Amino acid sequence: MIEVTHLTKEFGHKKAVNNISFTVEKGEVLGFLGPNGAGKSTTMRMITGFIPPSSGEIKVCGYSLLEEPEKAKSCIGYLPESAPLYPEMTVYGFLSFCANMRGLRGGQKKQAIEKVIETCFLQKVVYQGIDTLSKGYQHRTCLAQALIHDPEVLILDEPTDGLDPNQKHEVRKLIRQLGEEKSILFSTHILEEVEAACHRAVIVDLGDIVEDGTPEALREKSGDDSLQTLFRKVTTTEVA
Amino acid sequence: MFTGLFQIYKRELASYFSQLTAYALIVVFLLLSLGFCFSFGHFMEVGDASLEYSFFRWLPWFFMFLVPAVGMRLWSDEYRTGTIELLGTMPVATIAIILGKFLAALSVWSVALVLTFPVWILVNYLGDPDNVLILSSYLGALLVCATFLAVTSLVSAFTRDQVVCLVVSVFFCAVMTLAGYEPVLRSVNSLLPEWAGEVLASATVDEHYRSAVRGHIRWHDLFWFLSMTAACLYGTSIVLNAKRS
Ligand SMILES: Nc1ncnc2c1ncn2[C@@H]1O[C@H](COP(=O)(O)OP(=O)(O)OP(=O)(O)O)[C@@H](O)[C@H]1O
Ligand SMILES: [Mg+2]
């Protein structure tokens, strides 16, 4: 579903992502771990087609992102790290715009909006202006936007950032549930989340994949049964 | 591609009218253009039924700072809120996003121009004007707007800073307006080599605008406006794409 081969991104002289390859199958949830500045967001931006890679290839749902960007993009749902929104719109207006952009119309659109409002618990704020929402609600509105066209591939950049513990739990549950029939790539700094929601985890550091395996396998590798120890062992503490 | 373009157009237009931007722009523009028409334009005294000297002549002067003032947020807002990342990952081409935003801003200007209709009614009431000529003048004014808007879009793509964008685009629009005036051209010619004067003279909107206002808009004027606009919008797409990599 997602196939990334030899992906590299350089910003000037700086290598943000260095020759990364991995795949995410249908029905798989891949957790993306790594310290700040490791290149997680950059990788996700390339997979979603926002920035072009310096070299390497990306295939989503069988479409090459460089050759057929629009076809590839239409089967991806993306939650950017900063959860961007149009502040002057209402939640409903924003979701309606996103649904339109994804080609949904009429009754189909209405249904899709109702569904994501329910899954992301937005019932209370449907007609509220986005600029007056709390941070967590803004984050959930942006998550709703990623789910609206029921995409086969989900790319979520820190989906639980800024959510309260109840909502964190709900989102993890949602990821696990959606992961049964979709391919999901999500990044996080919360190591328990990996064990709670992922089938597989990848640890990146300075643009390289340093570990790749199931949460259990990674835990075993650490020596004392905790991801935290492994994470600290394989990643550098200071970042350029 | 066109569905995406239309959706972006709709959203942008709604955003102009749900914020104060559109209203402020329209009110200020009407005050300035109609105010000038009746004061400095000496509309009542000269009995200028074509509206050429009293009304249309002044319009580029207002556009040259009002159009950048409204256009400066074209791209910087998308970058500030990060929504460019949403648009950039939706299945639409960059050029559709650019055109959608451009046409929305141009529509706001069309509304502003249409709302100057009281002068048109007035000349018809007072005299017997050539209405085709007036229509052609309105078209010319809209084309000047489109050109300035495209220039602003290009400048706005370069910088996230709205103030920088405003200052730089007002500068370019002012050059394009002023370069058509004889005294300016003459002093430029005495200071700069001949080719510089020619470049400047060919970049001026004034000559093309004036031929529209005089009623004989020529194909090459139309071509000039449209190619200027297209070039700046295409430049915008190049800059936006280059910025991402
Ligand atoms: N537009 C850019 N220009 C220059 N350098 C950039 C740009 N975007 C990212 N970088 C650099 O690329 C590296 C990777 O950044 P990235 O945002 O992918 O990290 P991350 O793994 O998502 O970190 P975090 O956990 O803090 O979100 C960083 O060193 C960053 O400074
Ligand atoms: Mg990041």
Side-chain angles (χ1 to χ4, degrees):
Chain A
M1 279 286 160
I2 309 175
E3 286 174 64
V4 172
T5 35
H6 304 303
L7 195 63
T8 299
K9 182 72 193 180
E10 289 160 20
F11 292 109
H13 294 296
K14 192 148 108 198
K15 266 205 169 124
V17 175
N18 187 11
N19 201 12
I20 278 186
S21 303
F22 63 87
T23 57
V24 186
E25 303 293 338
K26 189 176 160 77
E28 188 175 33
V29 180
L30 179 65
F32 222 40
L33 298 172
N36 293 134
K40 302 181 294 293
S41 300
T42 307
T43 308
M44 292 181 157
R45 286 193 175 126
M46 288 191 281
I47 297 174
T48 51
F50 181 59
I51 55 176
S54 304
S55 68
E57 227 183 290
I58 305 160
K59 264 192 168 178
V60 177
C61 299
Y63 301 113
S64 160
L65 214 96
L66 299 173
E67 280 149 32
E68 297 176 284
E70 278 164 41
K71 279 194 179 138
K73 282 175 184 178
S74 54
C75 57
I76 303 176
Y78 176 42
L79 170 67
E81 188 170 27
S82 57
L85 300 161
Y86 289 103
E88 76 275 9
M89 299 178 98
T90 63
V91 172
Y92 194 90
F94 176 73
L95 292 177
S96 165
F97 166 68
C98 293
N100 280 334
M101 288 293 285
R102 297 294 187 171
L104 298 171
R105 293 287 178 278
Q108 222 182 357
K109 176 176 110 180
K110 224 173 136 209
Q111 251 177 4
I113 296 175
E114 271 162 23
K115 196 170 156 207
V116 290
I117 284 175
E118 206 175 303
T119 30
C120 298
F121 305 96
L122 294 168
Q123 295 94 336
K124 266 192 351 204
V125 297
V126 178
Y127 295 106
Q128 201 174 324
I130 285 175
D131 53 354
T132 65
L133 293 181
S134 72
K135 185 183 167 191
Y137 273 99
Q138 292 188 346
H139 212 91
R140 281 189 253 162
T141 307
C142 201
L143 178 62
Q145 160 279 136
L147 302 173
I148 198 145
H149 52 303
D150 196 23
E152 288 176 62
V153 171
L154 273 175
I155 314 273
L156 310 171
D157 204 346
E158 303 191 20
T160 55
D161 182 42
L163 300 184
D164 66 46
N166 297 333
Q167 285 300 324
K168 275 198 170 87
H169 178 75
E170 291 296 336
V171 169
R172 277 174 216 162
K173 214 168 82 185
L174 180 68
I175 290 177
R176 218 178 320 133
Q177 182 199 332
L178 291 169
E180 280 167 20
E181 59 217 64
K182 297 182 193 301
S183 316
I184 302 182
L185 172 64
F186 82 99
S187 73
T188 178
H189 288 299
I190 305 167
L191 298 174
E192 303 89 74
E193 213 151 76
V194 175
E195 291 168 89
C198 297
H199 301 123
R200 219 176 91 214
V202 158
I203 303 180
V204 283
D205 185 38
L206 301 177
D208 283 306
I209 294 185
V210 288
E211 286 295 340
D212 182 349
T214 60
E216 294 79 42
L218 293 182
R219 233 179 8 209
E220 243 165 63
K221 232 177 185 172
S222 72
D224 68 349
D225 208 36
S226 104
L227 279 178
Q228 173 112 14
T229 325
L230 181 72
F231 186 89
R232 294 186 59 103
K233 229 193 285 181
V234 297
T235 58
T236 34
T237 35
E238 80 264 32
V239 166
Chain B
M1 147 161 182
F2 290 103
T3 53
L5 192 161
F6 178 64
Q7 296 307 331
I8 287 175
Y9 171 80
K10 237 173 43 178
R11 198 208 74 76
E12 283 286 313
L13 201 60
S15 139
Y16 277 114
F17 284 98
S18 71
Q19 290 168 302
L20 277 177
T21 336
Y23 305 104
L25 150 88
I26 289 171
V27 169
V28 170
F29 173 71
L30 289 180
L31 284 177
L32 280 175
S33 59
L34 298 182
F36 257 64
C37 180
F38 289 103
S39 56
F40 295 98
H42 302 292
F43 173 72
M44 289 317 233
E45 294 97 79
V46 293
D48 169 24
S50 73
L51 290 173
E52 179 190 341
Y53 290 101
S54 52
F55 179 67
F56 285 112
R57 182 171 53 140
W58 304 102
L59 293 186
W61 294 79
F62 307 135
F63 290 152
M64 86 187 189
F65 58 91
L66 284 180
V67 171
V70 178
M72 67 183 182
R73 47 168 289 278
L74 228 44
W75 299 106
S76 58
D77 260 15
E78 297 279 349
Y79 276 95
R80 191 172 46 78
T81 56
T83 40
I84 187 79
E85 203 165 342
L86 289 182
L87 294 182
T89 54
M90 281 174 178
V92 282
T94 312
I95 197 72
I97 302 174
I98 294 172
L99 280 177
K101 287 171 87 72
F102 170 78
L103 291 175
L106 194 61
S107 302
V108 177
W109 277 106
S110 316
V111 172
L113 276 172
V114 166
L115 288 179
T116 60
F117 71 91
V119 283
W120 177 69
I121 290 181
L122 195 63
V123 287
N124 271 288
Y125 175 72
L126 292 175
D128 183 23
D130 179 353
N131 282 319
V132 176
L133 180 64
I134 291 181
L135 219 56
S136 148
S137 308
Y138 270 119
L139 175 68
L142 193 63
L143 288 170
V144 172
C145 258
T147 310
F148 286 178
L149 206 53
V151 168
T152 310
S153 159
L154 180 58
V155 174
S156 163
F158 272 104
T159 172
R160 276 183 200 208
D161 191 318
Q162 302 202 349
V163 177
V164 172
C165 172
L166 177 67
V167 172
V168 174
S169 4
V170 168
F171 170 76
F172 280 123
C173 295
V175 167
M176 291 172 86
T177 310
L178 294 172
Y181 288 82
E182 274 304 314
V184 180
L185 264 186
R186 229 177 298 129
S187 62
V188 165
N189 277 336
S190 65
L191 286 174
L192 296 172
E194 200 176 325
W195 61 265
E198 268 168 33
V199 167
L200 206 58
S202 70
T204 168
V205 294
D206 202 64
E207 183 199 333
H208 308 285
Y209 177 56
R210 243 179 317 189
S211 73
V213 171
R214 299 234 167 98
H216 24 77
I217 184 158
R218 296 155 299 184
W219 283 111
H220 92 253
D221 297 317
L222 207 59
F223 180 76
W224 185 89
F225 279 121
L226 294 182
S227 55
M228 227 24 203
T229 306
C232 287
L233 292 181
Y234 184 64
T236 307
S237 86
I238 290 177
V239 173
L240 287 180
N241 283 335
K243 243 188 165 174
R244 288 194 205 154
S245 49

